[in-house]
């Protein structure tokens, strides 16, 4: 039944693909491949897919990223239905990573309502995985992107504080967002304090996440944001 639904969706999408030319028919091709093949991917292959989508997010138009991601989000959902419990746990991690990239791309497109729903999906998948670092990573990504017209800055601070309670204290990732949100709110003394705490915590070293979301330049960006806002 699942394969039949996928085939029906692929057939319905063929007309749209034909109208858009060769570039737009790639998602349709991948959907048909998923429907006809159905072979599960290895966990290593899924990790590679996560890395590829994250790279695409940083190098390609977000609309293309969204179209490509939907295929893999559908595929990972289908694979979970027939996987072992251990593999399901790992596939929850993959889903959390892919959903975060998807929400990021939607944010860049200004599709904030859809992005918020995908952030929620990413959080739920991360929580289901039981991976504390991933839970914090997803929440940090969600809070940080909220500052780009997606959420009220005070709401973003609430997300940061909620994540800090899960973490048992501040983290480098969460402090970058706290400092920026306080700057947007005009609370510059508090923003400077958050920045000082960020730099002190980061000086002890930052362990990058396994998916590659974290980049050291995020610290410098937060620093420039705080200094620019205080002028």
């Amino acid at each position: 039944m699942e394969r039949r639904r996928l085939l029906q969706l692929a057939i319905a999408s063929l007309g749209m693909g034909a109208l858009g030319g060769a570039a737009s028919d790639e998602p349709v091709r991948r959907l048909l491949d998923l429907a006809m093949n159905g072979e599960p991917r290895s966990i290593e292959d899924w990790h590679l897919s996560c890395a590829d989508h994250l790279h695409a997010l940083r190098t390609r138009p977000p609309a293309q990223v969204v179209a490509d991601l939907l295929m893999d989000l559908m595929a990972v959902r289908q694979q979970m239905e027939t996987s072992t419990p251990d593999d399901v746990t790992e596939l929850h991690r993959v889903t959390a990573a892919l959903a975060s990239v998807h929400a990021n791309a939607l944010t860049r497109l200004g599709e904030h309502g859809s992005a918020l729903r995908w952030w929620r999906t990413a959080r739920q998948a991360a929580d289901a995985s039981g991976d504390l670092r991933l839970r914090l990573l997803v929440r940090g990504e969600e809070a940080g992107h909220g500052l780009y017209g997606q959420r009220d800055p005070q709401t973003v601070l609430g997300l940061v504080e909620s994540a800090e309670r899960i973490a048992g204290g501040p983290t480098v990732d969460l402090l970058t967002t706290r400092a920026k949100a306080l700057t947007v709110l005009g609370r510059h003394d508090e923003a400077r304090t958050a920045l000082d705490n960020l730099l002190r915590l980061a000086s002890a070293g930052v362990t990058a996440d396994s998916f590659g979301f974290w980049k050291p330049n995020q610290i410098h960006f937060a620093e420039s944001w705080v200094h620019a806002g205080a002028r």
Side-chain angles (χ1 to χ4, degrees):
M1 289 298 296
E2 182 70 18
R3 188 169 299 183
R4 183 180 301 172
R5 285 194 295 268
L6 289 170
L7 277 170
Q8 290 170 343
L9 180 57
I11 293 168
S13 302
L14 282 174
M16 291 184 291
L19 290 173
S24 65
D25 70 3
E26 175 59 14
V28 178
R29 184 201 65 77
R30 294 179 64 187
L31 189 59
L32 283 168
D33 181 65
L34 174 63
M36 298 302 296
N37 189 0
E39 291 297 324
R41 302 187 205 175
S42 68
I43 297 302
E44 292 76 13
D45 192 33
W46 275 116
H47 286 177
L48 180 61
S49 294
C50 290
D52 288 342
H53 286 300
L54 188 57
H55 175 72
L57 180 70
R58 292 166 174 163
T59 59
R60 299 172 194 161
Q64 180 182 340
V65 175
V66 166
D68 289 341
L69 260 168
L70 284 173
M71 302 303 103
D72 276 349
L73 284 162
M74 187 178 296
V76 73
R77 173 193 174 278
Q78 184 186 36
Q79 186 166 330
M80 271 196 266
E81 295 180 356
T82 57
S83 295
T84 65
D86 286 344
D87 280 352
V88 166
T89 297
E90 192 60 33
L91 291 173
H92 278 308
R93 295 184 74 249
V94 169
T95 301
L98 293 178
S100 293
V101 175
H102 195 59
N104 186 322
L106 288 167
T107 300
R108 297 177 189 222
L109 289 170
E111 300 288 344
H112 296 302
S114 294
L116 291 174
R117 290 188 287 273
W118 279 102
W119 287 125
R120 183 168 60 250
T121 297
R123 268 189 282 115
Q124 291 171 339
D127 290 348
S129 77
D131 184 334
L132 176 60
R133 291 190 61 192
L134 182 61
R135 295 177 68 201
L136 296 175
L137 170 67
V138 168
R139 284 164 169 79
E141 289 286 308
E142 178 182 11
H145 284 81
L147 291 172
Y148 295 93
Q150 196 165 94
R151 283 186 158 117
D152 180 85
Q154 192 63 50
T155 300
V156 171
L157 276 181
L159 292 174
V160 169
E161 290 165 0
S162 176
E164 286 177 341
R165 287 193 291 272
I166 294 173
T171 68
V172 169
D173 192 22
L174 295 172
L175 279 170
T176 61
T177 300
R178 176 182 286 279
K180 290 188 287 186
L182 289 167
T183 299
V184 174
L185 289 167
R187 294 159 59 177
H188 299 299
D189 289 343
E190 294 175 76
R192 181 69 212 198
T193 298
L195 178 61
D196 290 342
N197 292 337
L198 164 63
L199 296 175
R200 182 167 52 253
L201 190 59
S203 67
V206 180
T207 302
D209 63 277
S210 60
F211 289 107
F213 282 85
W214 171 259
K215 295 291 184 184
N217 61 9
Q218 292 174 232
I219 297 173
H220 304 305
F221 184 47
E223 191 171 11
S224 65
W225 186 309
V226 171
H227 290 314
R231 292 177 182 173

